[in-house]
Amino acid sequence: MTRNARRRTPRADLVVVANRLPVDRVVEDDGSTSWRTSPGGLVSALEPVMRANHGAWIGWPGDTGDQPEPFDDEGLTLVPVAMSDREYAEFYEGFSNATLWPLYHDLIAKPEFHREWWDAYEVVNRRFAETAAKVAADGAIVWVQDYQLQLVPAMLRELRPDLRIGFYLHIPFPPTELFGQLPWRRQVLEGLLGADLVGFQLPGAAQNFVRLVRQRVGHKTHRDSVYLPDGRVVVAKAFPISIDFSGFEELARSVEVVERAEEIRRDLGEPRRIFLGVDRLDYTKGIYARLRAFGELISDGHFTVEDAVFVQVATPSRERVSQYKIIRDDIDRLVGRINGDLGRIGRPAISYLHSSFPREEMAALYKAADIMVVTPFRDGMNLVAKEYAACRYGEDGALVLSEFAGAAEELRQAYLVNPYDINGMKAKMLEAYHADPKELARRMRAMRRCISENDVSHWASAFLDELTANRPRHDKQVKPARTG
Ligand code: GDG
């Protein structure tokens, strides 16, 4: 890849501000540095759109070294924002991933509230806002991403009132009762209100936000609009995120991927059915519950380890955060127990891979698997479910999907499950195991149509069209804000 460092800060008409750059800085053994494309939902979703628009992407380079100069990456300008070790611990691991992440995911783990983490969250958000203020051209569109940067819209608006600012939340937005626990609830809401458009995965999340703004900040609201005392109208709406459908399908059709999928099946001993899970190793994803369900299906005698295997890819994630250490140990123990109790020589019940893989290998796994099991307790969308369907161009394969993944609102033909109900999950996994190919084709065809008609470029243009639409100011009489 050509990556040319720039001397002066470039100015762009379309700017994405995200916690991470779409690349990681890696220090080689000889001390030189290089850049490697990094995985993750947000990167998979946004990169194609930004490249097509020659935009600028502001983000953290993935280590706590010095701040590299902005550089070109095949038509996209990358603008690194530095973070110290302490900020990484307090802003990223702390407030973002041990306070907001569990709070926004239904308290599956208990959120921790620490005042010094909040201070770091403000400091780092300000640094991102100041960088965006420098990079954005006059009247530019700035699109801020996700829960780590909820204060950026208001901070940026103060510095650059000429900009069109959008914000998109990739994770759920909690109901008022849960959000109300956050000691800094009002500051977060006011931070988001700096945007012209606040986007969510689902309509329910947008409604939660509008209700909270009315309750906690005291602004007048009507349907998806918030009326601010200065005459601005902020719109809150759902834009369900998607994937590069044709890109995934093309990858899955390539000779290399098709051959690799066959090789995977052979290496697994040609079982009748391959079950697959692919997730960041996160307690929200329901990995433990699904593996337990699978183990019980074998111990109950529904099938044997010769008939079926479960391949679980768990990509390492947030490994220093204590709840992530706990879930990793729990899963290690469970896999050990199930394989110890049920496996035979050369035939484990679960093939567990705690590592990350190239995209081609992911596509080969999707292609090799008969039953994809996606069972989060709560998930903003879940791109893995959509990627699986994109790779099933033969209209075969079954998707077992949690009702609590955003994707379940679109993929109604999946085998929908409640991940808290182990017996219910077992029944659906078994139904998928025995399903008739015609039935699978009917379901898969409908899901593939839905995703191909609503792919990631559709998502991005729907958001950007709404953001750039002419939005008149209001002349409503607004009451002074109540305290939140
Ligand atoms: C957040 C929200 C929302 C995973 N392991 C590897 C790898 N991946 C890729 C997958 C997929 C992405 O990472 C994961 O996306 P998900 O949507 O499943 O989950 P989160 O990471 O939690 O994403 C989520 C998303 O943001 C987008 O808005 O859907 O609800 O939580 O694309 O394929 N990719 C590669 N190697 C791996 O080992 N190459």
Side-chain angles (χ1 to χ4, degrees):
M1 267 187 208
T2 30
R3 282 172 176 150
N4 303 319
R6 296 220 180 162
R7 275 198 184 75
R8 62 185 172 77
T9 308
R11 306 247 290 165
D13 291 320
L14 175 61
V15 180
V16 161
V17 189
N19 177 53
R20 290 291 289 270
L21 284 175
V23 293
D24 282 334
R25 180 165 52 176
V26 238
V27 182
E28 309 291 352
D29 292 342
D30 63 3
S32 64
T33 55
S34 63
W35 296 92
R36 190 176 49 206
T37 306
S38 59
L42 179 57
V43 176
S44 327
L46 272 182
E47 211 184 359
V49 186
M50 289 302 290
R51 278 192 205 287
N53 285 283
H54 303 286
W57 185 310
I58 298 172
W60 177 58
D63 66 16
T64 51
D66 57 345
Q67 179 155 319
E69 289 295 308
F71 58 94
D72 272 342
D73 179 10
E74 293 176 353
L76 176 64
T77 303
L78 300 183
V79 187
V81 174
M83 211 182 293
S84 69
D85 285 325
R86 181 158 179 192
E87 285 165 349
Y88 181 76
E90 295 188 343
F91 154 78
Y92 181 71
E93 295 179 324
F95 199 78
S96 299
N97 288 319
T99 306
L100 293 173
W101 181 268
L103 182 72
Y104 284 29
H105 286 89
D106 278 4
L107 312 187
I108 297 163
K110 192 169 161 39
E112 289 183 52
F113 301 119
H114 298 295
R115 284 166 286 185
E116 61 281 15
W117 289 2
W118 166 255
D119 294 342
Y121 188 75
E122 273 192 306
V123 167
V124 174
N125 270 253
R126 190 164 302 284
R127 188 172 309 141
F128 275 88
E130 282 166 356
T131 309
K134 278 192 211 131
V135 169
D138 290 345
I141 296 164
V142 180
W143 191 359
V144 183
Q145 306 289 327
D146 228 357
Y147 62 103
Q148 303 93 348
L149 301 176
Q150 294 173 103
L151 307 181
V152 169
M155 289 172 170
L156 182 57
R157 179 163 300 282
E158 212 178 305
L159 295 166
R160 291 286 306 273
D162 60 302
L163 301 174
R164 271 286 156 126
I165 304 172
F167 179 91
Y168 188 78
L169 187 71
H170 290 256
I171 66 174
F173 195 76
T176 51
E177 298 76 15
L178 301 187
F179 188 83
Q181 290 187 7
L182 185 68
W184 307 277
R185 57 200 182 191
R186 183 166 173 153
Q187 289 96 313
V188 168
L189 294 171
E190 282 175 343
L192 292 169
L193 288 170
D196 298 292
L197 175 63
V198 186
F200 298 89
Q201 301 276 22
L202 302 180
Q207 285 155 14
N208 287 346
F209 173 71
V210 171
R211 191 172 310 129
L212 269 158
V213 165
R214 195 170 54 240
Q215 282 178 1
R216 299 283 178 198
V217 193
H219 292 323
K220 221 184 178 77
T221 67
H222 180 63
R223 298 205 174 149
D224 60 10
S225 299
V226 178
Y227 302 97
L228 269 63
D230 66 1
R232 270 196 320 122
V233 180
V234 178
V235 171
K237 261 194 181 176
F239 300 87
I241 203 167
S242 194
I243 58 161
D244 177 9
F245 183 88
S246 52
F248 261 98
E249 173 164 342
E250 205 177 302
L251 189 61
R253 282 182 186 273
S254 71
V255 179
E256 294 76 17
V257 168
V258 171
E259 285 178 354
R260 176 64 190 140
E262 286 164 3
E263 188 178 38
I264 290 171
R265 290 199 78 100
R266 276 197 304 277
D267 288 352
L268 291 166
E270 302 281 2
R272 275 188 69 201
R273 298 277 185 269
I274 296 174
F275 289 75
L276 175 67
V278 172
D279 313 77
R280 275 186 310 96
L281 210 177
D282 195 297
Y283 51 80
T284 59
K285 301 288 185 182
I287 302 171
Y288 189 97
R290 85 174 68 128
L291 294 181
R292 232 184 104 187
F294 179 77
E296 287 187 16
L297 285 172
I298 297 177
S299 56
D300 293 349
H302 292 290
F303 44 72
T304 68
V305 287
E306 275 78 26
D307 295 326
V309 64
F310 201 117
V311 178
Q312 176 65 55
V313 175
T315 311
S317 184
R318 308 172 191 167
E319 292 190 288
R320 300 199 309 183
V321 178
S322 63
Q323 295 286 354
Y324 289 77
K325 289 185 191 150
I326 295 171
I327 186 71
R328 181 176 174 191
D329 289 347
D330 287 349
I331 293 172
D332 281 353
R333 266 195 301 275
L334 181 70
V335 170
R337 197 166 68 229
I338 293 176
N339 282 342
D341 288 348
L342 305 171
R344 311 237 175 98
I345 288 177
R347 285 285 193 175
I350 298 167
S351 180
Y352 179 58
L353 305 160
H354 180 247
S355 44
S356 71
F357 295 96
R359 245 167 71 95
E360 293 71 20
E361 183 72 358
M362 308 298 285
L365 283 163
Y366 292 144
K367 179 98 185 63
D370 304 289
I371 302 161
M372 183 82 217
V373 191
V374 181
T375 55
F377 295 119
R378 182 60 72 194
D379 213 334
M381 176 55 61
N382 197 290
L383 298 179
V384 165
K386 294 187 171 180
E387 289 166 2
Y388 177 70
C391 292
R392 308 307 300 195
Y393 51 85
E395 293 179 349
D396 53 1
L399 174 64
V400 175
L401 179 62
S402 164
E403 292 165 17
F404 304 123
E409 292 210 3
E410 293 166 273
L411 306 181
R412 304 308 298 170
Q413 298 78 10
Y415 291 88
L416 293 175
V417 296
N418 170 2
Y420 293 96
D421 171 11
I422 301 263
N423 283 347
M425 211 154 40
K426 283 166 68 181
K428 289 289 169 155
M429 284 163 78
L430 202 56
E431 197 182 327
Y433 179 89
H434 290 297
D436 165 65
K438 277 206 189 107
E439 169 68 5
L440 291 178
R442 183 188 66 78
R443 290 172 181 253
M444 190 52 78
R445 197 175 309 127
M447 292 192 286
R448 284 172 52 79
R449 189 178 319 120
C450 167
I451 305 165
S452 69
E453 284 168 5
N454 298 285
D455 68 355
V456 70
S457 62
H458 179 270
W459 168 76
S461 47
F463 185 93
L464 291 170
D465 287 352
E466 177 78 44
L467 178 58
T468 48
N470 200 14
R471 193 166 301 121
R473 293 167 67 81
H474 73 89
D475 53 5
K476 295 196 169 18
Q477 290 299 312
V478 273
K479 287 190 224 121
R482 290 194 299 269
T483 48

